[in-house]
Amino acid sequence: TRKESSAASDVYKRQERTLSIIKPDGVSRGLIGDVIKHIEGRGLKIVAMKMLHLTQAQARGFYAVHRERPFFEGLTTFMSSGPAVVMVLEGDNAIARWRELMGATDYRKAAEGTIRREFATDIEKNVVHGSDAPETAAFEIGYFFNRFEILA
Ligand code: CMP
């Protein structure tokens, strides 16, 4: 019944997956280890990971929701400027927890102890990316990984 299935989904709904990217600035500055240290140190589990160098077309597809924004061209040029590391993180409330660990998009507004506060140099070159909602997480994870590449 509907009641039973919603009760069952309540049990599991906090166990989430989110997409994380160490952006080209983070990779070129040698911050892969530091970012992973934050992730694992806070109990988020890495269940998929790969390094890739996006084409600009692939970056445009990934950030399609931002295509009308004034920063779209710069952002997709930057995201295709060098290798990036993409990961799927899993855990209770993983989407919000990873966003909290990253800190605000604008590093000047990011809280003390967050990755962007510590490492980011620019609102665009902000070291890391994280999905902002369950729907975007599903799209973003599927953009880079198939089901056999996600190791639960
Ligand atoms: P991200 O969390 O990956 O989501 C969209 C990205 O666009 C963001 O991080 C930044 O890299 C970039 N971005 C967001 N706002 C701006 C802005 N005002 N100027 C330049 N780049 C931005």
Side-chain angles (χ1 to χ4, degrees):
T1 68
R2 174 175 296 187
K3 197 171 174 186
E4 279 162 350
S5 62
S6 87
S9 72
D10 285 347
V11 175
Y12 297 108
K13 74 178 179 201
R14 284 158 47 83
Q15 189 69 21
E16 282 178 335
R17 286 175 176 170
T18 189
L19 186 86
S20 153
I21 304 179
I22 306 175
K23 296 185 180 185
D25 60 327
V27 173
S28 67
R29 289 170 58 208
L31 299 175
I32 296 172
D34 288 289
V35 172
I36 289 177
K37 196 128 197 109
H38 275 267
I39 291 169
E40 293 186 324
R42 291 288 288 273
L44 285 167
K45 186 177 173 191
I46 300 169
V47 294
M49 172 159 63
K50 65 176 86 169
M51 184 182 262
L52 40 75
H53 188 152
L54 291 175
T55 64
Q56 189 155 15
Q58 288 168 333
R60 286 196 181 107
F62 180 77
Y63 279 121
V65 291
H66 294 310
R67 66 187 171 274
E68 308 297 340
R69 303 287 193 95
F71 57 78
F72 184 67
E73 214 36 47
L75 173 63
T76 56
T77 299
F78 160 57
M79 289 299 289
S80 56
S81 67
V85 173
V86 293
M87 291 175 276
V88 179
L89 311 182
E90 186 177 83
D92 284 351
N93 231 353
I95 295 170
R97 282 170 61 207
W98 172 232
R99 291 180 70 76
E100 203 180 308
L101 260 181
M102 291 193 296
T105 303
D106 183 348
Y107 71 101
R108 293 166 300 188
K109 295 177 187 149
E112 203 61 56
T114 62
I115 292 168
R116 285 166 170 163
R117 175 65 171 262
E118 191 172 350
F119 299 117
T121 56
D122 188 280
I123 191 164
E124 176 187 86
K125 295 175 183 62
N126 59 1
V127 185
V128 282
H129 167 83
S131 311
D132 63 4
E135 302 71 38
T136 44
F139 167 77
E140 293 180 356
I141 290 168
Y143 199 79
F144 291 115
F145 296 97
N146 69 45
R147 73 182 86 165
F148 305 110
E149 296 172 314
I150 300 172
L151 310 175

